[in-house]
PDB file of all heavy atoms in Angstrom:
ATOM      1  N   PHE Q  31      -9.595  36.861 -32.832  1.00  0.00           N
ATOM      2  CA  PHE Q  31      -9.431  38.169 -32.191  1.00  0.00           C
ATOM      3  C   PHE Q  31      -9.173  38.096 -30.687  1.00  0.00           C
ATOM      4  O   PHE Q  31      -8.300  38.761 -30.176  1.00  0.00           O
ATOM      5  CB  PHE Q  31     -10.697  39.072 -32.587  1.00  0.00           C
ATOM      6  CG  PHE Q  31     -10.650  39.659 -33.866  1.00  0.00           C
ATOM      7  CD1 PHE Q  31     -11.398  39.227 -34.930  1.00  0.00           C
ATOM      8  CD2 PHE Q  31      -9.612  40.734 -34.213  1.00  0.00           C
ATOM      9  CE1 PHE Q  31     -11.265  39.833 -36.123  1.00  0.00           C
ATOM     10  CE2 PHE Q  31      -9.622  41.331 -35.385  1.00  0.00           C
ATOM     11  CZ  PHE Q  31     -10.514  40.803 -36.427  1.00  0.00           C
ATOM     12  N   GLY Q  36      -2.546  41.502 -30.832  1.00  0.00           N
ATOM     13  CA  GLY Q  36      -2.480  42.696 -31.590  1.00  0.00           C
ATOM     14  C   GLY Q  36      -3.727  42.716 -32.499  1.00  0.00           C
ATOM     15  O   GLY Q  36      -4.606  41.847 -32.440  1.00  0.00           O
ATOM     16  N   ALA Q  37      -3.687  43.677 -33.503  1.00  0.00           N
ATOM     17  CA  ALA Q  37      -4.780  43.695 -34.352  1.00  0.00           C
ATOM     18  C   ALA Q  37      -4.583  42.693 -35.499  1.00  0.00           C
ATOM     19  O   ALA Q  37      -3.516  42.170 -35.607  1.00  0.00           O
ATOM     20  CB  ALA Q  37      -4.757  45.128 -35.082  1.00  0.00           C
ATOM     21  N   LEU Q  38      -5.633  42.389 -36.304  1.00  0.00           N
ATOM     22  CA  LEU Q  38      -5.552  41.375 -37.351  1.00  0.00           C
ATOM     23  C   LEU Q  38      -5.976  42.032 -38.657  1.00  0.00           C
ATOM     24  O   LEU Q  38      -6.924  42.841 -38.725  1.00  0.00           O
ATOM     25  CB  LEU Q  38      -6.381  40.242 -36.945  1.00  0.00           C
ATOM     26  CG  LEU Q  38      -6.031  39.354 -35.818  1.00  0.00           C
ATOM     27  CD1 LEU Q  38      -7.210  38.355 -35.510  1.00  0.00           C
ATOM     28  CD2 LEU Q  38      -4.747  38.736 -35.889  1.00  0.00           C
ATOM     29  N   ALA Q  39      -5.269  41.599 -39.685  1.00  0.00           N
ATOM     30  CA  ALA Q  39      -5.628  41.967 -41.031  1.00  0.00           C
ATOM     31  C   ALA Q  39      -6.394  40.799 -41.684  1.00  0.00           C
ATOM     32  O   ALA Q  39      -6.421  39.786 -41.174  1.00  0.00           O
ATOM     33  CB  ALA Q  39      -4.423  42.262 -41.897  1.00  0.00           C
ATOM     34  N   HIS Q  40      -7.144  41.120 -42.758  1.00  0.00           N
ATOM     35  CA  HIS Q  40      -7.851  40.095 -43.478  1.00  0.00           C
ATOM     36  C   HIS Q  40      -6.948  38.976 -43.760  1.00  0.00           C
ATOM     37  O   HIS Q  40      -7.391  37.730 -43.531  1.00  0.00           O
ATOM     38  CB  HIS Q  40      -8.473  40.725 -44.755  1.00  0.00           C
ATOM     39  CG  HIS Q  40      -9.189  39.736 -45.487  1.00  0.00           C
ATOM     40  ND1 HIS Q  40      -8.601  38.825 -46.379  1.00  0.00           N
ATOM     41  CD2 HIS Q  40     -10.541  39.349 -45.522  1.00  0.00           C
ATOM     42  CE1 HIS Q  40      -9.588  37.947 -46.998  1.00  0.00           C
ATOM     43  NE2 HIS Q  40     -10.770  38.329 -46.414  1.00  0.00           N
ATOM     44  N   ASP Q  42      -4.247  37.929 -42.247  1.00  0.00           N
ATOM     45  CA  ASP Q  42      -3.963  37.067 -41.073  1.00  0.00           C
ATOM     46  C   ASP Q  42      -5.022  36.145 -40.765  1.00  0.00           C
ATOM     47  O   ASP Q  42      -4.696  34.890 -40.578  1.00  0.00           O
ATOM     48  CB  ASP Q  42      -3.837  37.971 -39.794  1.00  0.00           C
ATOM     49  CG  ASP Q  42      -2.808  39.039 -39.996  1.00  0.00           C
ATOM     50  OD1 ASP Q  42      -1.722  38.754 -40.616  1.00  0.00           O
ATOM     51  OD2 ASP Q  42      -2.901  40.195 -39.465  1.00  0.00           O
ATOM     52  N   LEU Q  60     -16.162  40.232 -41.159  1.00  0.00           N
ATOM     53  CA  LEU Q  60     -15.546  41.419 -40.541  1.00  0.00           C
ATOM     54  C   LEU Q  60     -16.501  42.675 -40.690  1.00  0.00           C
ATOM     55  O   LEU Q  60     -16.569  43.410 -39.728  1.00  0.00           O
ATOM     56  CB  LEU Q  60     -14.215  41.656 -41.200  1.00  0.00           C
ATOM     57  CG  LEU Q  60     -13.055  40.686 -40.996  1.00  0.00           C
ATOM     58  CD1 LEU Q  60     -11.802  40.869 -41.983  1.00  0.00           C
ATOM     59  CD2 LEU Q  60     -12.592  40.717 -39.537  1.00  0.00           C
ATOM     60  N   VAL Q  64     -17.726  44.842 -37.518  1.00  0.00           N
ATOM     61  CA  VAL Q  64     -17.544  46.234 -37.379  1.00  0.00           C
ATOM     62  C   VAL Q  64     -18.929  47.025 -37.185  1.00  0.00           C
ATOM     63  O   VAL Q  64     -19.087  47.922 -36.259  1.00  0.00           O
ATOM     64  CB  VAL Q  64     -16.928  46.871 -38.640  1.00  0.00           C
ATOM     65  CG1 VAL Q  64     -16.906  48.430 -38.675  1.00  0.00           C
ATOM     66  CG2 VAL Q  64     -15.448  46.352 -38.724  1.00  0.00           C
ATOM     67  N   ILE Q  69     -15.794  44.707 -33.428  1.00  0.00           N
ATOM     68  CA  ILE Q  69     -14.360  45.112 -33.685  1.00  0.00           C
ATOM     69  C   ILE Q  69     -14.386  46.551 -34.242  1.00  0.00           C
ATOM     70  O   ILE Q  69     -15.392  46.972 -34.747  1.00  0.00           O
ATOM     71  CB  ILE Q  69     -13.769  44.182 -34.698  1.00  0.00           C
ATOM     72  CG1 ILE Q  69     -14.428  44.122 -36.048  1.00  0.00           C
ATOM     73  CG2 ILE Q  69     -13.591  42.687 -34.118  1.00  0.00           C
ATOM     74  CD1 ILE Q  69     -13.808  43.196 -37.056  1.00  0.00           C
ATOM     75  N   HIS Q  70     -13.219  47.116 -34.368  1.00  0.00           N
ATOM     76  CA  HIS Q  70     -13.080  48.445 -35.053  1.00  0.00           C
ATOM     77  C   HIS Q  70     -11.942  48.354 -35.990  1.00  0.00           C
ATOM     78  O   HIS Q  70     -10.964  47.587 -35.819  1.00  0.00           O
ATOM     79  CB  HIS Q  70     -12.929  49.496 -34.007  1.00  0.00           C
ATOM     80  CG  HIS Q  70     -11.667  49.380 -33.163  1.00  0.00           C
ATOM     81  ND1 HIS Q  70     -11.804  48.588 -31.972  1.00  0.00           N
ATOM     82  CD2 HIS Q  70     -10.496  49.906 -33.249  1.00  0.00           C
ATOM     83  CE1 HIS Q  70     -10.467  48.694 -31.511  1.00  0.00           C
ATOM     84  NE2 HIS Q  70      -9.729  49.432 -32.126  1.00  0.00           N
ATOM     85  N   THR Q  71     -11.958  49.259 -37.069  1.00  0.00           N
ATOM     86  CA  THR Q  71     -10.792  49.246 -37.981  1.00  0.00           C
ATOM     87  C   THR Q  71      -9.846  50.299 -37.408  1.00  0.00           C
ATOM     88  O   THR Q  71     -10.020  51.135 -36.553  1.00  0.00           O
ATOM     89  CB  THR Q  71     -11.320  49.813 -39.374  1.00  0.00           C
ATOM     90  OG1 THR Q  71     -11.971  51.085 -39.174  1.00  0.00           O
ATOM     91  CG2 THR Q  71     -12.303  48.829 -39.980  1.00  0.00           C
ATOM     92  N   ILE Q  72      -8.539  50.087 -37.875  1.00  0.00           N
ATOM     93  CA  ILE Q  72      -7.433  50.815 -37.414  1.00  0.00           C
ATOM     94  C   ILE Q  72      -6.778  51.466 -38.591  1.00  0.00           C
ATOM     95  O   ILE Q  72      -6.370  50.783 -39.531  1.00  0.00           O
ATOM     96  CB  ILE Q  72      -6.490  50.092 -36.620  1.00  0.00           C
ATOM     97  CG1 ILE Q  72      -7.170  49.394 -35.405  1.00  0.00           C
ATOM     98  CG2 ILE Q  72      -5.336  50.865 -36.134  1.00  0.00           C
ATOM     99  CD1 ILE Q  72      -6.361  48.463 -34.671  1.00  0.00           C
ATOM    100  N   PRO Q  73      -6.731  52.836 -38.677  1.00  0.00           N
ATOM    101  CA  PRO Q  73      -5.979  53.520 -39.760  1.00  0.00           C
ATOM    102  C   PRO Q  73      -4.523  53.243 -39.519  1.00  0.00           C
ATOM    103  O   PRO Q  73      -4.098  53.483 -38.446  1.00  0.00           O
ATOM    104  CB  PRO Q  73      -6.390  54.968 -39.741  1.00  0.00           C
ATOM    105  CG  PRO Q  73      -6.753  55.153 -38.416  1.00  0.00           C
ATOM    106  CD  PRO Q  73      -7.241  53.842 -37.769  1.00  0.00           C
ATOM    107  N   THR Q  74      -3.752  52.999 -40.565  1.00  0.00           N
ATOM    108  CA  THR Q  74      -2.317  52.793 -40.334  1.00  0.00           C
ATOM    109  C   THR Q  74      -1.470  53.642 -41.322  1.00  0.00           C
ATOM    110  O   THR Q  74      -2.097  54.078 -42.376  1.00  0.00           O
ATOM    111  CB  THR Q  74      -1.872  51.391 -40.546  1.00  0.00           C
ATOM    112  OG1 THR Q  74      -2.314  50.977 -41.828  1.00  0.00           O
ATOM    113  CG2 THR Q  74      -2.501  50.450 -39.464  1.00  0.00           C
ATOM    114  N   ASP Q  76       0.693  52.859 -43.376  1.00  0.00           N
ATOM    115  CA  ASP Q  76       0.914  52.240 -44.724  1.00  0.00           C
ATOM    116  C   ASP Q  76      -0.443  51.968 -45.341  1.00  0.00           C
ATOM    117  O   ASP Q  76      -0.512  51.211 -46.292  1.00  0.00           O
ATOM    118  CB  ASP Q  76       1.715  50.976 -44.644  1.00  0.00           C
ATOM    119  CG  ASP Q  76       1.069  49.969 -43.814  1.00  0.00           C
ATOM    120  OD1 ASP Q  76       0.115  50.159 -43.121  1.00  0.00           O
ATOM    121  OD2 ASP Q  76       1.650  48.763 -43.960  1.00  0.00           O
ATOM    122  N   ASN Q  77      -1.496  52.446 -44.877  1.00  0.00           N
ATOM    123  CA  ASN Q  77      -2.838  52.229 -45.459  1.00  0.00           C
ATOM    124  C   ASN Q  77      -3.177  50.767 -45.648  1.00  0.00           C
ATOM    125  O   ASN Q  77      -3.880  50.462 -46.625  1.00  0.00           O
ATOM    126  CB  ASN Q  77      -2.907  52.991 -46.775  1.00  0.00           C
ATOM    127  CG  ASN Q  77      -3.155  54.508 -46.469  1.00  0.00           C
ATOM    128  OD1 ASN Q  77      -4.247  54.885 -46.106  1.00  0.00           O
ATOM    129  ND2 ASN Q  77      -2.105  55.292 -46.667  1.00  0.00           N
ATOM    130  N   SER Q  78      -2.897  49.960 -44.699  1.00  0.00           N
ATOM    131  CA  SER Q  78      -3.369  48.591 -44.727  1.00  0.00           C
ATOM    132  C   SER Q  78      -4.435  48.556 -43.769  1.00  0.00           C
ATOM    133  O   SER Q  78      -4.458  49.183 -42.646  1.00  0.00           O
ATOM    134  CB  SER Q  78      -2.260  47.532 -44.376  1.00  0.00           C
ATOM    135  OG  SER Q  78      -1.809  47.803 -43.054  1.00  0.00           O
ATOM    136  N   VAL Q  79      -5.369  47.646 -43.949  1.00  0.00           N
ATOM    137  CA  VAL Q  79      -6.624  47.604 -43.141  1.00  0.00           C
ATOM    138  C   VAL Q  79      -6.465  46.553 -42.003  1.00  0.00           C
ATOM    139  O   VAL Q  79      -6.096  45.393 -42.334  1.00  0.00           O
ATOM    140  CB  VAL Q  79      -7.888  47.340 -43.995  1.00  0.00           C
ATOM    141  CG1 VAL Q  79      -9.180  47.335 -43.133  1.00  0.00           C
ATOM    142  CG2 VAL Q  79      -8.024  48.228 -45.163  1.00  0.00           C
ATOM    143  N   ARG Q  80      -6.627  47.014 -40.806  1.00  0.00           N
ATOM    144  CA  ARG Q  80      -6.571  46.172 -39.654  1.00  0.00           C
ATOM    145  C   ARG Q  80      -7.720  46.391 -38.717  1.00  0.00           C
ATOM    146  O   ARG Q  80      -8.328  47.362 -38.712  1.00  0.00           O
ATOM    147  CB  ARG Q  80      -5.226  46.481 -38.844  1.00  0.00           C
ATOM    148  CG  ARG Q  80      -3.991  46.582 -39.830  1.00  0.00           C
ATOM    149  CD  ARG Q  80      -2.758  46.106 -39.110  1.00  0.00           C
ATOM    150  NE  ARG Q  80      -1.784  45.873 -40.081  1.00  0.00           N
ATOM    151  CZ  ARG Q  80      -0.577  45.299 -39.843  1.00  0.00           C
ATOM    152  NH1 ARG Q  80      -0.382  44.841 -38.555  1.00  0.00           N
ATOM    153  NH2 ARG Q  80       0.292  45.062 -40.803  1.00  0.00           N
ATOM    154  N   TYR Q  81      -7.898  45.229 -37.922  1.00  0.00           N
ATOM    155  CA  TYR Q  81      -9.169  45.175 -37.134  1.00  0.00           C
ATOM    156  C   TYR Q  81      -8.708  44.790 -35.722  1.00  0.00           C
ATOM    157  O   TYR Q  81      -7.691  43.962 -35.494  1.00  0.00           O
ATOM    158  CB  TYR Q  81     -10.176  44.209 -37.597  1.00  0.00           C
ATOM    159  CG  TYR Q  81     -10.647  44.516 -39.000  1.00  0.00           C
ATOM    160  CD1 TYR Q  81      -9.979  43.946 -40.063  1.00  0.00           C
ATOM    161  CD2 TYR Q  81     -11.813  45.298 -39.278  1.00  0.00           C
ATOM    162  CE1 TYR Q  81     -10.305  44.153 -41.388  1.00  0.00           C
ATOM    163  CE2 TYR Q  81     -12.178  45.456 -40.503  1.00  0.00           C
ATOM    164  CZ  TYR Q  81     -11.498  44.867 -41.609  1.00  0.00           C
ATOM    165  OH  TYR Q  81     -11.834  45.222 -42.929  1.00  0.00           O
ATOM    166  N   ALA Q  82      -9.340  45.325 -34.724  1.00  0.00           N
ATOM    167  CA  ALA Q  82      -9.234  44.878 -33.346  1.00  0.00           C
ATOM    168  C   ALA Q  82     -10.417  44.794 -32.544  1.00  0.00           C
ATOM    169  O   ALA Q  82     -11.390  45.582 -32.968  1.00  0.00           O
ATOM    170  CB  ALA Q  82      -8.139  45.636 -32.579  1.00  0.00           C
ATOM    171  N   PHE Q 100      -0.784  51.935 -31.946  1.00  0.00           N
ATOM    172  CA  PHE Q 100       0.696  51.812 -32.060  1.00  0.00           C
ATOM    173  C   PHE Q 100       1.053  50.718 -33.099  1.00  0.00           C
ATOM    174  O   PHE Q 100       0.518  49.589 -32.962  1.00  0.00           O
ATOM    175  CB  PHE Q 100       1.322  51.658 -30.767  1.00  0.00           C
ATOM    176  CG  PHE Q 100       2.890  51.686 -30.927  1.00  0.00           C
ATOM    177  CD1 PHE Q 100       3.455  52.953 -30.567  1.00  0.00           C
ATOM    178  CD2 PHE Q 100       3.615  50.597 -31.263  1.00  0.00           C
ATOM    179  CE1 PHE Q 100       4.934  52.995 -30.611  1.00  0.00           C
ATOM    180  CE2 PHE Q 100       5.041  50.685 -31.462  1.00  0.00           C
ATOM    181  CZ  PHE Q 100       5.632  51.910 -31.013  1.00  0.00           C
ATOM    182  N   MET Q 101       1.824  51.056 -34.143  1.00  0.00           N
ATOM    183  CA  MET Q 101       2.173  50.056 -35.184  1.00  0.00           C
ATOM    184  C   MET Q 101       3.718  49.997 -35.096  1.00  0.00           C
ATOM    185  O   MET Q 101       4.445  50.975 -35.295  1.00  0.00           O
ATOM    186  CB  MET Q 101       1.721  50.524 -36.482  1.00  0.00           C
ATOM    187  CG  MET Q 101       1.961  49.504 -37.518  1.00  0.00           C
ATOM    188  SD  MET Q 101       1.169  49.803 -39.077  1.00  0.00           S
ATOM    189  CE  MET Q 101       1.609  48.392 -39.991  1.00  0.00           C
ATOM    190  N   CYS Q 102       4.279  48.811 -34.868  1.00  0.00           N
ATOM    191  CA  CYS Q 102       5.650  48.562 -34.781  1.00  0.00           C
ATOM    192  C   CYS Q 102       6.224  48.480 -36.139  1.00  0.00           C
ATOM    193  O   CYS Q 102       5.869  47.700 -36.980  1.00  0.00           O
ATOM    194  CB  CYS Q 102       5.962  47.220 -33.954  1.00  0.00           C
ATOM    195  SG  CYS Q 102       7.767  46.974 -33.835  1.00  0.00           S
ATOM    196  N   CYS Q 105       8.191  44.565 -36.233  1.00  0.00           N
ATOM    197  CA  CYS Q 105       7.427  43.360 -36.379  1.00  0.00           C
ATOM    198  C   CYS Q 105       5.992  43.540 -36.921  1.00  0.00           C
ATOM    199  O   CYS Q 105       5.447  42.557 -37.285  1.00  0.00           O
ATOM    200  CB  CYS Q 105       7.291  42.750 -34.971  1.00  0.00           C
ATOM    201  SG  CYS Q 105       6.364  43.578 -33.697  1.00  0.00           S
ATOM    202  N   GLY Q 106       5.697  44.784 -37.185  1.00  0.00           N
ATOM    203  CA  GLY Q 106       4.403  45.075 -37.796  1.00  0.00           C
ATOM    204  C   GLY Q 106       3.245  44.863 -36.880  1.00  0.00           C
ATOM    205  O   GLY Q 106       1.971  45.185 -37.278  1.00  0.00           O
ATOM    206  N   THR Q 107       3.417  44.465 -35.622  1.00  0.00           N
ATOM    207  CA  THR Q 107       2.192  44.314 -34.724  1.00  0.00           C
ATOM    208  C   THR Q 107       1.529  45.644 -34.495  1.00  0.00           C
ATOM    209  O   THR Q 107       2.267  46.641 -34.319  1.00  0.00           O
ATOM    210  CB  THR Q 107       2.814  43.709 -33.471  1.00  0.00           C
ATOM    211  OG1 THR Q 107       3.463  42.515 -33.664  1.00  0.00           O
ATOM    212  CG2 THR Q 107       1.581  43.331 -32.501  1.00  0.00           C
ATOM    213  N   THR Q 108       0.239  45.646 -34.518  1.00  0.00           N
ATOM    214  CA  THR Q 108      -0.533  46.819 -34.136  1.00  0.00           C
ATOM    215  C   THR Q 108      -1.302  46.677 -32.916  1.00  0.00           C
ATOM    216  O   THR Q 108      -1.938  45.717 -32.680  1.00  0.00           O
ATOM    217  CB  THR Q 108      -1.499  47.045 -35.308  1.00  0.00           C
ATOM    218  OG1 THR Q 108      -0.757  47.106 -36.582  1.00  0.00           O
ATOM    219  CG2 THR Q 108      -2.206  48.382 -35.101  1.00  0.00           C
ATOM    220  N   TYR Q 109      -1.037  47.559 -31.924  1.00  0.00           N
ATOM    221  CA  TYR Q 109      -1.560  47.516 -30.648  1.00  0.00           C
ATOM    222  C   TYR Q 109      -2.708  48.544 -30.319  1.00  0.00           C
ATOM    223  O   TYR Q 109      -2.536  49.676 -30.929  1.00  0.00           O
ATOM    224  CB  TYR Q 109      -0.469  47.726 -29.512  1.00  0.00           C
ATOM    225  CG  TYR Q 109       0.543  46.817 -29.596  1.00  0.00           C
ATOM    226  CD1 TYR Q 109       1.803  47.149 -30.407  1.00  0.00           C
ATOM    227  CD2 TYR Q 109       0.783  45.806 -28.778  1.00  0.00           C
ATOM    228  CE1 TYR Q 109       2.793  46.334 -30.465  1.00  0.00           C
ATOM    229  CE2 TYR Q 109       1.850  44.859 -28.788  1.00  0.00           C
ATOM    230  CZ  TYR Q 109       2.921  45.110 -29.629  1.00  0.00           C
ATOM    231  OH  TYR Q 109       3.981  44.344 -29.655  1.00  0.00           O
TER     232      TYR Q 109
ATOM    233  N   ASN O  83      -8.943  54.314 -45.019  1.00  0.00           N
ATOM    234  CA  ASN O  83      -7.889  53.635 -45.645  1.00  0.00           C
ATOM    235  C   ASN O  83      -7.665  53.765 -47.121  1.00  0.00           C
ATOM    236  O   ASN O  83      -7.216  52.884 -47.898  1.00  0.00           O
ATOM    237  CB  ASN O  83      -7.850  52.064 -45.283  1.00  0.00           C
ATOM    238  CG  ASN O  83      -7.391  51.869 -43.877  1.00  0.00           C
ATOM    239  OD1 ASN O  83      -6.169  51.831 -43.570  1.00  0.00           O
ATOM    240  ND2 ASN O  83      -8.298  51.567 -42.944  1.00  0.00           N
TER     241      ASN O  83
ATOM    242  P    DG H  30      -8.698  44.596 -48.629  1.00  0.00           P
ATOM    243  OP1  DG H  30      -8.582  45.877 -47.816  1.00  0.00           O
ATOM    244  OP2  DG H  30      -8.510  43.281 -48.051  1.00  0.00           O
ATOM    245  O5'  DG H  30     -10.156  44.705 -49.355  1.00  0.00           O
ATOM    246  C5'  DG H  30     -10.364  45.892 -50.137  1.00  0.00           C
ATOM    247  C4'  DG H  30     -11.471  45.678 -51.081  1.00  0.00           C
ATOM    248  O4'  DG H  30     -11.279  44.568 -51.930  1.00  0.00           O
ATOM    249  C3'  DG H  30     -12.899  45.092 -50.286  1.00  0.00           C
ATOM    250  O3'  DG H  30     -13.792  46.014 -50.446  1.00  0.00           O
ATOM    251  C2'  DG H  30     -13.196  43.781 -51.048  1.00  0.00           C
ATOM    252  C1'  DG H  30     -12.446  43.805 -52.402  1.00  0.00           C
ATOM    253  N9   DG H  30     -12.182  42.746 -52.976  1.00  0.00           N
ATOM    254  C8   DG H  30     -11.291  41.616 -52.559  1.00  0.00           C
ATOM    255  N7   DG H  30     -11.296  40.550 -53.383  1.00  0.00           N
ATOM    256  C5   DG H  30     -12.111  41.021 -54.334  1.00  0.00           C
ATOM    257  C6   DG H  30     -12.426  40.304 -55.640  1.00  0.00           C
ATOM    258  O6   DG H  30     -12.090  39.171 -56.018  1.00  0.00           O
ATOM    259  N1   DG H  30     -13.384  41.094 -56.427  1.00  0.00           N
ATOM    260  C2   DG H  30     -13.789  42.318 -56.023  1.00  0.00           C
ATOM    261  N2   DG H  30     -14.590  42.936 -56.953  1.00  0.00           N
ATOM    262  N3   DG H  30     -13.479  42.913 -54.971  1.00  0.00           N
ATOM    263  C4   DG H  30     -12.606  42.263 -54.228  1.00  0.00           C
TER     264       DG H  30
END
Side-chain angles (χ1 to χ4, degrees):
Chain Q
F31 277 108
L38 296 175
H40 179 276
D42 297 326
L60 290 171
V64 169
I69 61 177
H70 60 276
T71 59
I72 301 174
T74 59
D76 68 345
N77 281 287
S78 62
V79 184
R80 308 210 169 191
Y81 305 86
F100 185 98
M101 185 170 181
C102 180
C105 66
T107 307
T108 302
Y109 302 85
Chain O
N83 282 286

